[in-house]
Amino acid sequence: MDAELLRKLREQSGLRLDREGRFWHRGDLLEHARTVAALHRGMHRAEDGRWAVRIGPEWAYVEVEDAARFIVRVEARGDRLRAQLADGEWVEIDPATVGSGADDALYARTPEGERARLTRAAQLSLADHLREEGSGFSLEISGRWYAIGLDRGPEPIKPK
C-alpha cells in the first residue's frame, strides 16, 4: 500500500474514545463486547506520542476525549491498590496518585505513569476507603491516609 495513503487512513480512522471509556467509529457507538475489548487491549502510544490502537499488524490513531486508560475495578491490597484496567490487565496503583478531576471523576496513574480514569463502578469500590475531611477527601489504605488532590490532566504528547 502507498505510504501516503496508509498515513491518511491511520490519521482519519474515525475512532474516538470518550470520557466513559466507550469507543465510537464515525459517530456510531461500538457495542460488540469482543470488539471493544480488542480495542482497549490494543491502545498504545504511537511513535509520535499520540494514542493509537493496534489490532494484529495494523494500527490507527484514536481521538481520546479524556483518558486512554480506564480502571474498571479496584481492590485494596496491603498498602497498595490493585486495579483491573479495561483491557483486563491487573496492575498495582500507588494510592498517592489518586486525584479528582472534572465531574468528581477519580484518576490514578498506572505503573508506566499513564493517566487512567476510574469508571463509576471502580469509584464505588473505593467508597469504604474514602473519608471527607474539610473541603476535600482522603483515601485510607492499611491505616495510612492519602489526600486526594486535583488530577493534573493529560500529559502533553511527547514522541518516543
Side-chain angles (χ1 to χ4, degrees), residues 41 69-70 72-73 83-91 111-112:
R41 276 192 309 275
R69 301 276 187 227
F70 288 84
V72 297
R73 185 175 174 189
Q84 185 179 29
L85 302 176
D87 65 6
E89 179 184 7
W90 284 90
V91 296
E112 297 80 29

Side-chain angles (χ1 to χ4, degrees), residues 76-80 129 140-144:
R77 293 281 171 102
D79 62 348
R80 305 294 269 180
H129 300 278
E140 187 269 325
I141 306 294
S142 293
R144 186 163 177 210

Side-chain angles (χ1 to χ4, degrees), residues 19 66 99-107 117-118 123 148-149 151:
R19 65 181 46 253
D66 184 27
S100 177
D103 301 321
D104 295 322
L106 292 179
Y107 298 84
R117 182 176 172 136
L118 278 71
Q123 283 191 208
I148 296 178
D151 173 61

